[in-house]
Amino acid sequence: DANSRNNDFIVGLTPPVIDTLTPDGAVVNSDTVTITVDGQNFIAGNVVVFEVTELPTTYVSETELIAVLDKSLLTASGEVAVVVRNRGPSGSYIDSAPVAFTVGNAPPTLVRVTGQPNPLIAGSIVAPFTITVSGAGFTPATQVQVDRIGRTTTFVSQTEVRAVILP
């Protein structure tokens, strides 16, 4: 009737909000990781999305979700966007703002340093020398540091790098 005209309204989805991810990163090639997502506006049926992959997700409460990150998604290092997706009954959805999840390399292990002059006395070295660092987990991005200053480093293998040390 005349009283019910022009009463149009819009129904929308409330966007979820991610406050924290625990853990917020994993090591390349690690086992399956369980992620706890704390935030707001979570509903049953929410799903955690890792880059473009929807993860098996358990709704705990309107402020907590638990997702399982399969090890097959942890094969390359870098930052990956994680969002929470809120689906509507029509199939439409709205995502939270993305939060970075870091997939990184395990820290290298230092076993031995060779090639330094003996004795090594400050002020007595007059020419650059090359040291060989042996260990495990080295990558082409590995850099030798002395007094927290990066030195020219050559990647030899996953177990060896060489660096030039200036006088």
Side-chain angles (χ1 to χ4, degrees), residues 139-152:
T139 70
T142 299
Q143 183 180 53
V144 172
Q145 294 184 356
V146 176
D147 289 332
R148 298 182 189 214
I149 298 172
R151 305 302 174 170
T152 302

Side-chain angles (χ1 to χ4, degrees), residues 113-128:
V113 178
T114 58
Q116 65 273 24
N118 189 6
L120 182 57
I121 300 171
S124 68
I125 306 301
V126 295

Side-chain angles (χ1 to χ4, degrees), residues 41-61:
N41 304 327
F42 297 159
I43 60 171
N46 274 139
V47 65
V48 175
V49 181
F50 185 82
E51 195 74 27
V52 296
T53 303
E54 293 186 354
L55 304 178
T57 305
T58 301
Y59 172 82
V60 177
S61 70

Side-chain angles (χ1 to χ4, degrees), residues 33-117:
V33 176
T34 300
I35 302 172
T36 301
V37 183
D38 292 312
Q40 304 160 36
N41 304 327
F42 297 159
I43 60 171
N46 274 139
V47 65
V48 175
V49 181
F50 185 82
E51 195 74 27
V52 296
T53 303
E54 293 186 354
L55 304 178
T57 305
T58 301
Y59 172 82
V60 177
S61 70
E62 64 183 32
T63 62
E64 183 178 337
L65 301 171
I66 296 176
V68 177
L69 179 57
D70 188 80
K71 65 182 180 180
S72 65
L73 298 171
L74 300 171
T75 58
S77 62
E79 286 199 349
V80 178
V82 173
V83 299
V84 171
R85 179 165 290 160
N86 183 349
R87 288 202 179 125
S90 67
S92 61
Y93 63 85
I94 188 166
D95 289 344
S96 67
V99 173
F101 184 92
T102 303
V103 180
N105 293 314
T109 303
L110 178 66
V111 174
R112 167 177 61 254
V113 178
T114 58
Q116 65 273 24

